[in-house]
Amino acid sequence: MASVSWKAQELTVGELAERSGVATSALRYYERHGLIVSRRTTGNQRRYSRDTLRRVAFIRASQRVGIALETIRGVLELLPENRTPTEEDWAMVSHCWQEDLNKRIKRLEELRDELSNCIGCGCLSLKQCALTNPEDVYGRRGAGPARLSS
C-alpha cells in the first residue's frame, strides 16, 4: 500500500479509505447519504478534500458509541458549507448525546445484572419467574423482554 502524502489537498476514494481505515463501499454509502461530499474530475472520479478525513473520523467515533447515521447526518447538516467538525463542535455534540449514552449504559448494566437469572421476561428463567412475574404480568406489556425494554 502506498502511503498518502500529508501534502495532498485532495484524496481519491482509495486514498481516503486507506488513510481512514473505512472501506470504499462505506465511503460511497456516506456520500450517497449526505455525510461526506466529493467533487468529480472530468473523468468522473471522486476527489475528497483532505479535511474529509476528520469528518470520517467524526462519523466513525459517533457510530462507535451507538449513534445512528441519521442522527450523525443531522448534526453534520448544522455545520455551514459542509465544513469539518471542530473540537468545539465535537464537545457540543458529545454533550448533547450524553443523556442518550447514559440511558444505554443503564440498560446494559441492567442486562448484565439480570442476565444470569432472567432475560427480562422473555422467559428463560422458569423457576424464578413465578416469583418475579406471577401469572405472566409482563406478558400483558407485549412481546419480548418486557423488563429490559422499559
Side-chain angles (χ1 to χ4, degrees), residues 78-89:
L78 298 174
L79 303 175
E81 299 175 19
N82 284 316
R83 79 169 162 76
T84 299
T86 63
E87 193 173 325
E88 293 80 22
D89 294 327

Side-chain angles (χ1 to χ4, degrees), residues 43-61:
N44 203 30
Q45 295 175 329
R46 290 177 169 89
R47 292 294 184 268
Y48 298 93
S49 65
R50 186 164 186 88
D51 64 351
T52 304
L53 279 169
R54 185 178 301 152
R55 199 170 173 96
V56 170
F58 176 86
I59 294 165
R60 298 298 291 170

Side-chain angles (χ1 to χ4, degrees), residues 45-114:
Q45 295 175 329
R46 290 177 169 89
R47 292 294 184 268
Y48 298 93
S49 65
R50 186 164 186 88
D51 64 351
T52 304
L53 279 169
R54 185 178 301 152
R55 199 170 173 96
V56 170
F58 176 86
I59 294 165
R60 298 298 291 170
S62 301
Q63 284 183 301
R64 288 189 81 167
V65 295
I67 306 301
L69 281 177
E70 186 63 29
T71 303
I72 297 167
R73 185 168 56 89
V75 168
L76 291 172
E77 286 176 349
L78 298 174
L79 303 175
E81 299 175 19
N82 284 316
R83 79 169 162 76
T84 299
T86 63
E87 193 173 325
E88 293 80 22
D89 294 327
W90 180 246
M92 177 194 64
V93 168
S94 62
H95 179 74
C96 293
W97 290 341
Q98 208 164 24
E99 183 180 340
D100 181 53
L101 293 174
N102 286 336
K103 286 179 185 176
R104 290 173 197 226
I105 290 168
K106 184 176 186 252
R107 274 187 256 135
L108 285 170
E109 288 174 340
E110 289 170 352
L111 176 61
R112 178 201 61 211
D113 296 344
E114 294 287 330

